[in-house]
Amino acid sequence: MDIRRAAHRPTKVAPEDKFTGLVWQDEVVVGEEPSRMRATNVSFSPGARTAWHSHPVGQVLYVVSGVGRVQLEGEAVQELQPGDTAMIPPNTRHWHGAAADRIFVHLAMSEVNDRGEGTAWFEKVSDEQYGQPTDPVV
């Protein structure tokens, strides 16, 4: 068994070129062969969000706390609440982040593909795109 202690993995501030607002990242696991899994706890300050991006094998977001937003390109913005799981298909442009007035924490899980390729990053989400109303939560 390999136990990786939290004290040996400091919290990182997410890079400004890929995020809007203050975002912290706590690495959970970076898979080593044969695993391709990567998992990170991501904490967003109110209004903070990712840039548009995609993952070659898709991404799963599990909401730990707070209220968030997620949007697949061409679809409506969806609200995320604690306990929700968002499953984003492979190679689908999307973004996610906190509601304007709430902090938001999710566990982000994804894999690299068989060529070792991971997240592809694109332009930042505009305030207009971010500010669209969310679909009702059902």
Side-chain angles (χ1 to χ4, degrees):
M1 178 183 336
D2 181 11
I3 297 175
R4 309 227 172 151
R5 302 292 178 192
H8 299 125
R9 297 184 319 258
T11 297
K12 299 175 187 171
V13 174
E16 290 182 24
D17 62 328
K18 295 177 177 81
F19 293 82
T20 298
L22 191 51
V23 179
W24 301 271
Q25 299 171 315
D26 287 298
E27 180 182 283
V28 175
V29 65
V30 175
E32 296 173 9
E33 289 287 335
S35 174
R36 300 184 298 172
M37 171 60 68
R38 179 178 194 97
T40 305
N41 239 359
V42 185
S43 302
F44 296 83
S45 61
R49 55 198 180 264
T50 69
W52 287 99
H53 63 286
S54 66
H55 305 273
V57 187
Q59 184 178 42
V60 175
L61 305 174
Y62 175 76
V63 180
V64 176
S65 64
V67 178
R69 301 164 69 83
V70 62
Q71 182 180 26
L72 303 184
E73 187 172 47
E75 296 186 10
V77 177
Q78 301 290 319
E79 182 175 284
L80 295 172
Q81 299 179 359
D84 289 351
T85 301
M87 291 169 280
I88 297 146
N91 298 310
T92 302
R93 282 173 48 109
H94 67 285
W95 64 268
H96 36 97
D101 58 349
R102 299 287 299 274
I103 60 170
F104 176 60
V105 179
H106 68 47
L107 178 62
M109 298 166 275
S110 62
E111 297 176 79
V112 297
N113 64 17
D114 55 4
R115 293 183 304 276
E117 299 165 333
T119 308
W121 290 98
F122 307 105
E123 73 278 5
K124 286 193 173 189
V125 174
S126 70
D127 289 342
E128 183 181 338
Q129 290 167 324
Y130 172 80
Q132 294 174 24
T134 59
D135 269 0
V137 175
V138 215

